[in-house]
Structure formats: C-alpha cells, structure tokens
Amino acid sequence: PWHGGFWVTLDLVGQRGLGRTKIDSLCLTYAPGPDIRDWLIPTIGRHVEDAGLMRVSDLTERARTGTLLRGAFSAHDAPGLFVGTRIPQRCVQIHRIEQVAVTRLSLTCSTELTVGLGEEAEVRAEAVWIDARRPLAEAIAVYADHLPLQAAPQEPPVGWNSWDYYYSSVSAADIAENVAEIERDPVMASKIRYVVVDMGWNHDWGEWFPNHRFPEGMESLARAIADRGYEPGIWTAPLLVDPLSAPGLRQTDLFVRNEHGDPLRTSGGLYVVDPTHPSAKAFLGDLYRRLRQFGYTFFKVDFVDCLLEATRFHDPTKGHYDALRDLFALIRECAGDESHILGCSLPPGCGPGVVDSGRTGVDIHNQWSHVEWAFDYLQLTYWMHRRIWINDADFLVVRGQETSREAETTVLNPEAKNPRPPKWRRGPVFANAAEARTWANIVALSGGSVFLSDRLSMLNEIGLEIVRPLLEPTGVAATPLDLGDGPRASLWLQEGDDVNRLTVINWTDSPVVRTVPAGEQGAARVAPVQSFWTGGEIPVVDGCCQIELAPHASEVLVWPKLAPRRGDGTGWNA
C-alpha cells in the first residue's frame, strides 16, 4: 500500500535459470461506467507518433501498447484508473490497454527482460503504482512524489542551437553569423550562455570528425565561440553507426547483437553500439574526451533510446536502463561535472542524476502541427522537472509568416503535395505571431531550458519581441488545471515564489472566450492581474478573468502572491 494505491511487482524464483523473456506482473479489468469509448488514455507510446491523451475509441493497435504511465479518465475532476512505473527502471516496462466491451478495459503490465537477466534463477518485474481513486493530475502528482524534488536545482540553460533552421546542412559560417547576431542584440548577448552545433557537423554516423562544411575543424570552432564569451556545445548520436563507415566495417565488436549473433540494426539500418562492451567503452571514451579537450561544455546526446530494442548485451547482468546509465556515466566522466549534458530521446526511466536536462518529447518545428505534437508529450511529462532532470521542451522557434523577413522559413518539406502526408513536418509554417507566441508560452510553462533555434538575422522585430522576454526561464514547471477534459489541457498554473502565472491556450480553430480563475482571494483584496505580454491590467470579477482568444492563440496572466497578515485574521497583505 502507498498513498491510497498499491505498488505491485512480481518475483519469480527457481532453482535454476528461468529462461524468461517477459513477465506479466499485473493483469486486470476496469469497468467504471456504462460507456467508456470517449474516456481518455494517457499514452507515451513505443513509437514517437503515439503520445498524448487518446480516446479509447481512437486507439490504434500500435497505441494500445505504451510505456511509463497509462490509465483511463473521463474528465479533469473525475477519478479514473492510473498506472505508473517506478523509476529508476532496469528493463523495459510495457502497459497494454484493450477495450474489451463498451463498459470495460483490460490492462496488462509486462516487463521485457534482456536475455542475461531472464536466465537468472531469480527474476523481478518492474514495479508499478496503481490507483483508482483520483483524477489524472492528482494521480500524477502523487505518483511523482516517489521521486523527491531536487534540493538545490541547477539554473535552466539558455542558448542558441543550429538544428531547427539549418537542420543537417549547418556550416561553420552559419555558426559565426548567428553568434554575431547574438552579440548585436543587448538582451540576447546578456542572457545567452551556450552556442550549440547540432547535427550536420560530422562526417558520418559513427565517424565523429568534421566534414567539409567545417574546414578548420571543431577545436577551432569551439575556440572561436569561447573567444566571443559563450560556451560551445555539440550534438552527438554516439550509439548509431553506419554499416559502411569505418567503424561499421572494421570494428564489429562494438555492436549490440540480435538473436542470431549478428549486429542489431535500427529501423533506419544503422548499427547500435553496446556500451557494456570494453571496445565500445574505449570508442565512446575517445569521442567525449576529445570533444571536451576541444573546449565543448554542453553535450546534446541523441538517439539513445535505440538501446530499448536490444534483447541482449555483452554484459549479461545489464538491463536496458543499466546499459543507458553506463553510457551516461562514461560521458560524465569524460565531460566533467562542469559540463551540461542533455539527454535527447533518453527514457525518463533511467532516473534522476543521469543527465542535467532531458527532452520531454518529439522535435518541434515551426508548424502548428508540431506544436500540438510536442505538447502531447509535455502534458504527460511536465512533472519530471527537478525530479528527473531540467525539462527541455525543445527549441524556442518563432519564425513564420508574421515573424520572419524570409519568404521560406523552413527546410524542404518532401511531402508538401502529398494528399495524405505523414505526421512528421506536416502542414504550413506558423501562420501568424499568435501561433509562434503560443509555442513560446509552452516553452516557458515547462519551466526548463530555453534554446533559440531560428536564423536570428532573419527574425523581424515581432519575432524578436517574442523571444527576448523568455530568455530568463522561471525554473518552475506549470501544472494543468483541466487535464483530462479533452485531448489537450488549456489551463496551466505556475506558482513562483513571488508571482503566479496562468497560461491559457486556445487549441481550437475558432475564436473562443474563456472565463478562467485568476488572482488570489482574500478577505481584504484581490491581487491585480496583468497580461505578461502587454503589461495591461485584466479585470477580475468574482475571482475570474474573461479572456478572448483567436484560433491557436494564448494568454499569460500574471499576479503577485499575497502574504498573509499575522494575527488580524483579515486575510492578506501585499
């Protein structure tokens, strides 16, 4: 028993190796009401496209299988079924939900064991917490408490990254241009700390040496960034190797093996490095020691969730998350405690202390469809901030039709004329400043990292006026007030030491008028409420504000916290 729910696990004990590959530790039926087809299922799927609050009737075969937390809820204030995996984990944990009738769901929680662990005489499933007494946000808050808040949290990092504008075509000249633009803007120059070279600098997957777009090398570039007063950062995907690269052809003992003993391949055909193998440790150590010696102090480490597909490691005592923790322990040893490590695609099941910051979901691009997609992840991962890492909602990008001086603001969309395009990079760029500002507000409500990723010289004054005020992260993650009322929560409260912020988002394609609670109530007065973006005061009537929002627009209400008077019983003091 724990906080009104139960931690559940299953131990299998035998006199010899058990030979298990999976343990179903919890199987149940949930029948809460007469019709559950419109209930919402919290989903963090095994595929990047499957995330968010998905209706029971909309679950695809693939989305029925998810990780970390699942359940079923009818409204933000109604109790439902919640299941969450205990962190840190050793092995992959899967929660599968099926609709078995109009009135019933079935849930199965399974641990997928690596071959080495499954051959032991004692095998333990990952633990899950199950609760059926609370609404979704309350259940998440209780579940999150099994991980304590950091006592002395780091400040969220602030910087610029090359990825979203330049994609994999970035050059040394592009970096120099944006550093010069940062220096020209007094606000950016004073707030930005890191300049990060993302994907596109290296010769090949597995060959971590500069290509022709960086003719003077990466050490020279790091020195040039540092000489301008910023800390250089760099992207790597250390576990992926092209089969036709030099390591792919000549260092074949580096790789995770499949059931036949051949190198495991990703869906893209790349080999996966096994961080438990001595040769791989040497390969990885050489990479990160070299980059640290060059002067890089920010390390974006990407595509590491490929290890979750492994069934065996060189070290048979390691589970999936053990291997990932080994990888990042090695990176930390090479990079030093003074460096900042960002885990990109790092599963949160690795637990606290593995990285400094962690991406909360899918890549953002300057398209409304990607705002929705990235948010689908964030509304289920917001609580990780300062418990597992500093949240990184992804880049603060704002360029679009009203915020850029360029006619074309994105990289080529190869599916632009496809009548049924895939989810990735679908749809037009930001149609107006309101869409860009909504994404900016979402980055701010995450409480974590702020990294610009536009071509700064091409932002117009409208675009710059959006990014400048957000270069000081609040450090406090917002919590949702209406999580479970629909596919996306629209009311997010950040409670700071001195002020509160309420972010209100219109997710619809039509204008709306919202009446929202705001200000602090007391016997003596109500705190004045202002718009974060305009500074204008917003009237409070009966403790609420009325907000008019255009399609895809948002507003941030700010009001000071009121301190209670001592002894007079009348309520509040400014």
Side-chain angles (χ1 to χ4, degrees):
W2 189 73
H3 293 292
F6 291 90
W7 285 107
V8 180
T9 189
L10 180 63
D11 292 331
L12 303 182
V13 181
Q15 296 182 351
R16 61 183 65 86
L18 295 173
R20 298 293 91 191
T21 59
K22 187 178 76 164
I23 305 174
D24 293 340
S25 57
L26 176 63
C27 307
L28 61 85
T29 299
Y30 182 60
D35 190 337
I36 59 168
R37 286 174 292 182
D38 286 336
W39 283 48
L40 296 170
I41 309 293
T43 302
I44 299 176
R46 301 193 75 173
H47 192 278
V48 70
E49 291 190 3
D50 303 317
L53 294 175
M54 307 180 74
R55 296 191 189 280
V56 171
S57 58
D58 294 336
L59 282 180
T60 63
E61 173 59 31
R62 193 175 63 194
R64 292 189 181 100
T65 298
T67 64
L68 193 62
L69 53 86
R70 302 306 301 270
F73 296 87
S74 62
H76 86 276
D77 55 355
L81 176 69
F82 179 88
V83 172
T85 307
R86 179 182 285 160
I87 299 172
Q89 298 173 231
R90 294 199 70 191
C91 292
V92 170
Q93 178 78 357
I94 298 299
H95 307 308
R96 182 174 178 83
I97 284 184
E98 303 266 7
Q99 183 181 358
V100 294
V102 172
T103 60
R104 295 197 307 279
L105 294 171
S106 69
L107 171 72
T108 303
C109 301
S110 307
T111 299
E112 296 183 352
L113 301 164
T114 56
V115 169
L117 293 181
E119 291 293 342
E120 294 180 356
E122 296 186 13
V123 178
R124 168 166 288 187
E126 299 293 334
V128 297
W129 183 65
I130 181 169
D131 179 84
R133 300 184 180 188
R134 295 175 170 90
L136 177 53
E138 184 182 341
I140 287 176
V142 176
Y143 164 71
D145 277 344
H146 84 278
L147 296 167
L149 283 168
Q150 298 170 4
Q154 296 184 47
E155 292 292 324
V158 177
W160 177 87
N161 181 294
S162 64
W163 166 255
D164 188 67
Y165 183 91
Y166 297 98
Y167 214 66
S168 54
S169 68
V170 66
S171 68
D174 297 326
I175 303 299
E177 175 193 311
N178 283 276
V179 170
E181 199 64 29
I182 292 169
E183 290 182 309
R184 276 191 282 270
D185 188 286
V187 175
M188 288 194 287
S190 65
K191 302 299 182 184
I192 285 176
R193 176 178 178 182
Y194 296 104
V195 173
V196 181
V197 188
D198 210 293
M199 182 180 178
W201 68 268
N202 60 301
H203 175 66
D204 198 357
W205 298 92
E207 295 188 22
W208 300 103
F209 299 93
N211 59 37
H212 65 281
R213 293 190 297 273
F214 295 83
E216 296 184 13
M218 303 312 291
E219 184 173 13
S220 173
L221 180 60
R223 187 164 54 248
I225 293 170
D227 287 346
R228 307 302 280 269
Y230 306 101
E231 293 192 45
I234 198 161
W235 169 93
T236 53
L239 297 181
L240 297 181
V241 174
D242 191 312
L244 297 182
S245 68
L249 292 169
R250 300 293 182 185
Q251 294 178 259
T252 56
D253 56 345
L254 296 177
F255 308 124
V256 171
R257 302 289 162 172
N258 62 22
E259 68 275 20
H260 309 299
D262 296 322
L264 178 71
R265 290 195 184 215
T266 66
S267 58
L270 301 176
Y271 293 158
V272 178
V273 173
D274 183 344
T276 74
H277 195 288
S279 296
K281 292 178 183 179
F283 173 80
L284 296 166
D286 175 73
L287 166 61
Y288 288 103
R289 278 189 291 270
R290 173 163 33 90
L291 293 176
R292 182 64 189 93
Q293 289 167 2
F294 285 173
Y296 292 93
T297 58
F298 188 98
F299 295 87
K300 179 181 176 182
V301 185
D302 204 353
F303 291 110
V304 296
D305 59 348
C306 59
L307 281 190
L308 300 187
E309 301 302 320
T311 58
R312 66 198 69 222
F313 293 106
H314 174 76
D315 184 343
T317 68
K318 301 292 185 178
H320 307 92
Y321 294 89
D322 299 325
L324 281 165
R325 284 187 287 267
D326 284 356
L327 168 66
F328 281 92
L330 176 61
I331 295 173
R332 175 66 70 192
E333 179 184 342
C334 298
D337 291 337
E338 70 279 6
S339 293
H340 188 103
I341 298 174
L342 163 62
C344 193
S345 82
L346 178 67
C350 282
V354 176
V355 294
D356 299 297
S357 57
R359 273 277 295 280
T360 57
V362 75
D363 290 5
I364 188 62
H365 293 298
N366 62 324
Q367 297 160 286
W368 182 251
S369 61
H370 270 262
V371 170
E372 295 175 316
W373 194 359
F375 183 87
D376 286 342
Y377 275 95
L378 182 61
Q379 68 176 345
L380 297 178
T381 56
Y382 64 91
W383 57 272
M384 297 177 186
H385 185 60
R386 291 184 53 198
R387 295 183 188 273
I388 298 177
W389 50 39
I390 295 169
N391 275 352
D392 185 311
D394 208 11
F395 308 122
L396 174 51
V397 292
V398 299
R399 67 190 186 280
Q401 295 180 29
E402 292 184 355
T403 52
S404 175
R405 299 195 287 114
E406 286 185 294
E408 178 56 70
T409 64
T410 189
V411 297
L412 175 69
N413 181 355
E415 305 284 350
K417 296 180 175 61
N418 186 343
R420 299 181 65 186
K423 193 171 183 178
W424 183 258
R425 302 191 71 81
R426 174 184 290 175
V429 301
F430 291 149
N432 49 52
E435 289 186 346
R437 189 175 291 110
T438 291
W439 173 244
N441 288 336
I442 291 169
V443 172
L445 70 83
S446 78
S449 307
V450 176
F451 274 80
L452 308 185
S453 196
D454 291 310
R455 185 181 181 188
L456 299 176
S457 64
M458 292 295 105
L459 293 181
N460 62 24
E461 193 57 32
I462 296 173
L464 292 170
E465 286 177 355
I466 294 175
V467 301
R468 288 184 185 122
L470 299 184
L471 292 176
E472 286 191 42
T474 66
V476 178
T479 56
L481 303 184
D482 59 344
L483 188 65
D485 280 350
R488 297 182 181 98
S490 60
L491 299 175
W492 290 79
L493 179 65
Q494 280 171 296
E495 298 187 79
D497 292 336
D498 302 315
V499 298
N500 286 341
R501 296 162 53 109
L502 181 69
T503 301
V504 188
I505 304 171
N506 178 12
W507 291 109
T508 75
D509 298 332
S510 303
V512 298
V513 177
R514 294 291 305 270
T515 300
V516 298
E520 292 201 19
Q521 299 299 310
R525 60 184 292 237
V526 175
V529 176
Q530 291 180 309
S531 164
F532 173 81
W533 289 103
T534 69
E537 186 165 333
I538 299 175
V540 180
V541 179
D542 295 330
C544 294
C545 295
Q546 194 172 77
I547 308 296
E548 297 183 16
L549 294 174
H552 304 170
S554 57
E555 178 62 278
V556 180
L557 311 181
V558 182
W559 63 90
K561 281 194 168 180
L562 301 177
R565 287 197 181 115
R566 293 185 179 179
D568 64 3
T570 59
W572 303 92
N573 214 2

